[in-house]
Amino acid sequence: MSSDLDRALDEAVLAAKSALTRCTTVDDWEAAATAHLGRKSAINGLLRQIATLPTDQRGPFGKRANESSRTLTAEFDARKADLLANSLAAVRDFDPSTPGVALRRGHEHPVLAIRREVEDVFVSMGFRVQDGPEVETEAYNFEALNIPSHHPARDFQDTFWVDDPAGRRLVMRTHTSPMQVRAMRQFGAPLRVIVPGRVYRNETADATHESAFHQVEGLVVDRGISVAHLKGVMAAVLGRLFGGEVAVRLRPHYFPFVEPGFELDFQCRFCAGAGCAVCKGTGWIELLGCGLVHAHVLKAGGVDPEAFTGFAFGLGLDRLTMMRHGVEDIRHFHGGDLRFFEQF
Ligand code: FA5
C-alpha cells in the first residue's frame, strides 16, 4: 500500500516539476499551479489520504508527502517571481517611440459605395429602400410582370433555374423587377420605393456583361404619374450622381411590363461618344430600362389601374460604377486583384 502511494507521490512530483519547466509566461504558470498544486491535483489527493492510513504508515508517508508539497510550492513561487520579473522587464524595455506596424485597412467595394450614394439620393426624394429575395418564383420574376411562359421576352434574359425539392418553379432572379409586384402587394398605392440588389443571368461575360451583377429597381405609383415624372426624376438623380456632366438619351424600347418603355443610355466616357471597344463603337452605354408600369402589372400588385399610374426603372449599378470611375471592364469588379480595388 505504502509503496503504491510512494510511487504515486514520485510521479506527481515529477509531473509538477516538468510542467513548471515548460512555463514561459505567468499564464502558463497559473495553469500549471492549478493542475499540480491545486485542490484537485494528484498531490492534494495524496495528502488527503494520509489520515486514512494505518498509524505505522501514516508517519513516514505523511512526512514525505508534506515535504514534497512544501518543496514544490517553494519552487513554483520562485518561478513565478522570475516570470513576473521578466514580464516587467519586457514592459520596461518597450520603446514607445519605435514606428508601429501599419494595419492594412479595407474599404467598401466600389459598387457597394455607389449603391449607398444612389440610396441616399432616392431617400432624400422620399423613396423607401427595400430588399428582395434573390431566389424568386417564376410567377414573380415573369408572370406577374406580364411575361407568360410562351412569351418571347423570356429569351431576352437567360435564366438560371433552381432545383426545388418542393417542386416549385424557382429562378435566380434575372432582374429586380419582381419586387415591383411584391412592393405593391405589401405597401399598396401611392408608393415610392427602390430595390437595390444582385441579379443573375446565364450569359457569357464580356467588358460590359457579367452573369451576376447589380440593379436598382425604382417604382413610383400615384395618381396622374406620367413620362414627364419619369424623365424629371431620372434627370435629377443623374445630375446629383454626376454633377450634370454626362450626356444621356432616352430611346423607345420594349419591356413587357411597361407601356411605353424606354432605354436610357449614357454617353461613353472613354471615347466621349466617338466610339470605342467599351461602347462597341456606338458612343453610348445602356444604363437602365424604364417606362410607365403596365396595367397588368398594377393589377398583379393589387393596384387599380383606373385610379393609379406609375413609372418604373431598372438601373445597372455596375455600369454606373464603371462610368463614375472610368473602369473599362466590368469583370474587374469580381476579380480578386487587390491592385484594382486599392485604386478606389
Ligand atoms: C431589365 O432588367 C428590366 N427589368 C429593367 C426595367 C425595369 C425596365 C423597370 C422597365 C421598367 P435590362 O435587361 O435591360 O432590363 O437590364 C437593365 C440594366 O441592367 C441594363 O440597362 C444594364 O445597365 C444592366 N445590365 C443588364 N444586363 C447586364 C449584365 N449582363 N451585366 C451588367 N449589367 C447588365
Side-chain angles (χ1 to χ4, degrees), residues 314-336:
L315 176 158
L317 210 46
D318 310 69
R319 300 243 179 111
L320 186 67
T321 313
M322 290 170 76
M323 289 295 106
R324 266 290 286 275
H325 294 301
V327 175
E328 82 293 350
D329 196 317
I330 195 171
R331 288 166 291 192
H332 288 310
F333 292 135
H334 284 186

Side-chain angles (χ1 to χ4, degrees), residues 145 156-157 174-178 180 199 201 203-204 206 208-218 253 255 257-258 261-265 285-292 311-320 330:
L145 292 170
F156 293 169
Q157 300 176 354
T174 55
H175 50 177
T176 41
S177 298
Q180 290 183 25
V199 302
R201 290 187 198 172
E203 55 183 75
T204 314
D206 64 21
T208 53
H209 292 81
E210 261 290 8
S211 49
F213 58 100
H214 301 80
Q215 289 188 339
V216 179
E217 192 77 12
H253 189 86
F255 295 99
F257 33 95
V258 287
F262 307 97
E263 254 173 0
L264 186 143
D265 301 337
I285 291 183
E286 170 203 323
L287 174 71
L288 60 87
C290 55
L292 293 188
F311 72 77
F313 61 86
L315 176 158
L317 210 46
D318 310 69
R319 300 243 179 111
L320 186 67
I330 195 171

